Amino acid sequence: MLNISTKTPTGGFSFENTRRNAVLEANLSEKGYSAPNARKTGTTIAGLIFKDGVILGADTRATDDMVVADKNCMKIHYISLSETFFTLPGVAADADVTTQMMSSNVELHSLSTGRPPLVAMVTRQLKQMLFRYQGHIGSSLIVGGVDVNGPQLYSIYPHGSYDKLPFLTMGSGAASAISVFEDRYKPNMELEEAKQLVRDAITAGIFCDLGSGSNVDLCVITDKTVDYLRGYDQPVQKGMRGGTYRYKPGTTAVLTKTVTPLPLDVVDESVQVMDTE
Amino acid sequence: MNTRGLRSQLKDSVPVTGLCPQAGPYGVQDSLRRGFSSVKNELLPSHPLELSEKNFQLNQDKMNFNTLRNIQGLHAPLKLQMEYRAARQIQRLPFLPSSNLALDTLRGTDDTIGFEDILNDPVLSEVMGDPHIMTEYKLGVL
């Protein structure tokens, strides 16, 4: 179909449907229905700087209002070989697209400058993009990594503000996790002690917050290695049933029984081989 | 380069032709796609980001040129704008999508990926402008 306009088309967001959506939502709410919500990932995420690098930890539950949408989702995403970042509470789709775009941008930038990427560079690009969209992209993140300036940890909020701190938590379970950190954090901890601390902080979030649950994922980043420990701890196992809850055959008395045979003829038989490779 | 300051230079004004003219492809008001027409619809933005996104590139360039002028003197933005103007003229026919490679290189967007590259890529657009109308508009005989 030809478009009789003289403007050259540009890319990016198109706001053509916003009016139509507003009218639709108004009509729906008159009848008592509501439009579907975007899926969020209420969460507990924590990061801390230890002696040799950065440890990031996350829970693995994605919620859809009051229902658990995913029991084991991955919230820690790779940006580049020396850094990783988490995506957090906020709309899951926004988080995914943001991480993918940032990952590409970091790679392009480091190819263009010829140097390994800096954590500060990722943070700056993220916060500029989030500020440009004034918080409508609902993803807050923690960026952690080790570069030539040492281990660094930044947190970025959906409107574009950021913090640089030695330990951080975000998400709906942030209050529970930060209390554990505030109590036991010391600068320059050893690896095992730091892993235990992050695990405890995330577990506090899992137990004390409804939006977080399932397992604890950890990611240990040093200047030489990135160790992604998926399912590091599973504090919440599915409970085992105490007894059997099946009825014995013969529990229900049979009063009457009617048998109606259905005569069927085989008309056609075809065999489809399944590809079981 | 995202520079702060110089807020007074930003303009979020709506041009006189309006935001979303109710006319559809054939010049008649298009109720199915745009809803009932009203003066408010044409003048006010439907989404808070609509205006700022429409003018984003212009505002960025304006801020950057102003900063450059303050730092390096008038010649710097003049020279750059001359180069932009030259690069902007390297286009294919008006109704075909141009790569704008020289313009992208000057702007520095050839090694970044943003939403304008992922979403609504004009290369993958399903509708095309009418060749005759667009060429006539470009040549000024419309």
Side-chain angles (χ1 to χ4, degrees):
Chain A
M1 192 186 109
L2 290 184
N3 187 14
I4 312 218
S5 78
T6 49
K7 291 195 296 279
T8 46
T10 51
F13 288 108
S14 156
F15 295 100
E16 285 176 355
N17 286 334
T18 43
R19 284 212 179 86
R20 179 204 71 175
N21 293 346
V23 169
L24 276 178
E25 272 183 50
N27 286 343
L28 277 179
S29 67
E30 269 173 38
K31 295 191 171 63
Y33 302 112
S34 62
N37 284 331
R39 181 197 293 188
K40 299 183 163 230
T41 60
T43 292
T44 309
I45 297 253
L48 66 73
I49 298 184
F50 71 108
K51 193 174 72 154
D52 305 318
V54 173
I55 300 188
L56 305 173
D59 74 309
T60 57
R61 174 184 287 183
T63 55
D64 194 359
D65 278 347
M66 290 290 122
V67 175
V68 173
D70 191 346
K71 285 190 287 233
N72 206 357
C73 76
M74 261 180 52
K75 298 192 185 175
I76 306 183
H77 297 255
Y78 278 114
I79 288 299
S80 72
L81 283 176
S82 63
E83 295 147 32
T84 350
F85 73 48
F86 294 105
T87 58
L88 279 206
V91 184
D94 284 349
D96 278 342
V97 171
T98 314
T99 58
Q100 285 169 3
M101 266 178 37
M102 270 310 121
S103 179
S104 313
N105 270 330
V106 163
E107 191 60 36
L108 284 171
H109 192 263
S110 74
L111 282 172
S112 154
T113 55
R115 298 181 178 127
L118 297 175
V119 190
M121 175 242 149
V122 179
T123 309
R124 180 162 283 221
Q125 288 206 335
L126 272 169
K127 77 172 163 73
Q128 285 177 354
M129 184 188 85
L130 291 174
F131 182 71
R132 172 177 170 179
Y133 293 103
Q134 293 288 298
H136 286 270
I137 294 190
S139 61
S140 38
L141 320 95
I142 295 187
V143 185
V146 181
D147 57 23
V148 290
N149 298 331
Q152 288 158 71
L153 198 57
Y154 293 91
S155 73
I156 307 168
Y157 289 88
H159 282 263
S161 58
Y162 75 105
D163 282 317
K164 178 174 187 228
L165 291 167
F167 59 91
L168 289 167
T169 62
M170 287 184 106
S172 51
S176 327
I178 199 78
S179 61
V180 175
F181 274 163
E182 292 279 0
D183 189 27
R184 286 159 46 188
Y185 176 78
K186 297 187 301 291
N188 286 331
M189 285 194 292
E190 294 297 324
L191 173 64
E192 284 309 319
E193 194 189 346
K195 268 164 60 171
Q196 186 64 25
L197 182 55
V198 177
R199 184 214 147 266
D200 287 344
I202 303 286
T203 313
I206 288 176
F207 283 131
C208 306
D209 174 45
L210 289 178
S212 322
S214 306
N215 315 331
V216 177
D217 283 348
L218 282 190
C219 186
V220 179
I221 310 172
T222 59
D223 54 355
K224 295 180 194 44
T225 57
V226 175
D227 253 335
Y228 190 8
L229 305 160
R230 186 134 164 78
Y232 177 72
D233 187 33
Q234 292 170 348
V236 182
Q237 298 275 358
K238 200 170 170 182
M240 304 301 295
R241 289 205 179 104
T244 62
Y245 297 94
R246 295 185 168 276
Y247 292 105
K248 289 197 298 290
T251 310
T252 312
V254 177
L255 294 180
T256 54
K257 183 163 125 172
T258 321
V259 176
T260 314
L262 291 173
L264 295 173
D265 296 322
V266 176
V267 174
D268 185 28
E269 189 178 306
S270 70
V271 176
Q272 266 182 343
V273 181
M274 251 176 25
D275 186 9
T276 51
E277 289 298 312
Chain B
M1 185 169 77
N2 249 317
T3 52
R4 284 179 296 174
L6 297 167
R7 243 187 92 80
S8 56
Q9 309 286 345
L10 292 179
K11 284 191 171 41
D12 276 334
S13 57
V14 183
V16 177
T17 46
L19 270 165
C20 170
Q22 300 294 97
Y26 296 103
V28 178
Q29 197 266 330
D30 193 358
S31 303
L32 187 67
R33 290 198 191 87
R34 307 207 198 285
F36 298 116
S37 67
S38 71
V39 177
K40 182 173 90 114
N41 273 351
E42 291 201 27
L43 291 179
L44 290 179
S46 53
H47 192 275
L49 285 180
E50 188 173 352
L51 274 179
S52 80
E53 278 299 296
K54 214 162 128 177
N55 298 329
F56 185 75
Q57 195 57 47
L58 290 168
N59 284 335
Q60 281 290 96
D61 287 345
K62 213 176 282 195
M63 280 202 293
N64 290 342
F65 281 136
N66 266 309
T67 319
L68 201 54
R69 177 187 179 163
N70 290 336
I71 297 175
Q72 293 189 6
L74 185 56
H75 75 287
L78 277 184
K79 239 181 171 171
L80 272 180
Q81 277 181 326
M82 181 190 77
E83 290 179 19
Y84 275 122
R85 215 169 261 234
R88 213 174 293 147
Q89 291 177 1
I90 309 170
Q91 301 263 325
R92 296 177 68 189
L93 290 172
F95 47 92
L96 294 172
S98 322
S99 70
N100 287 327
L101 189 58
L103 198 57
D104 276 349
T105 313
L106 275 178
R107 282 212 178 104
T109 54
D110 61 337
D111 55 5
T112 52
I113 290 191
F115 284 116
E116 47 285 342
D117 303 306
I118 304 175
L119 301 172
N120 257 340
D121 197 0
V123 176
L124 304 171
S125 161
E126 294 153 352
V127 297
M128 187 178 87
D130 182 20
H132 299 285
I133 308 250
M134 295 192 85
T135 336
E136 284 172 13
Y137 182 74
K138 185 90 185 297
L139 294 172
V141 295
L142 186 62

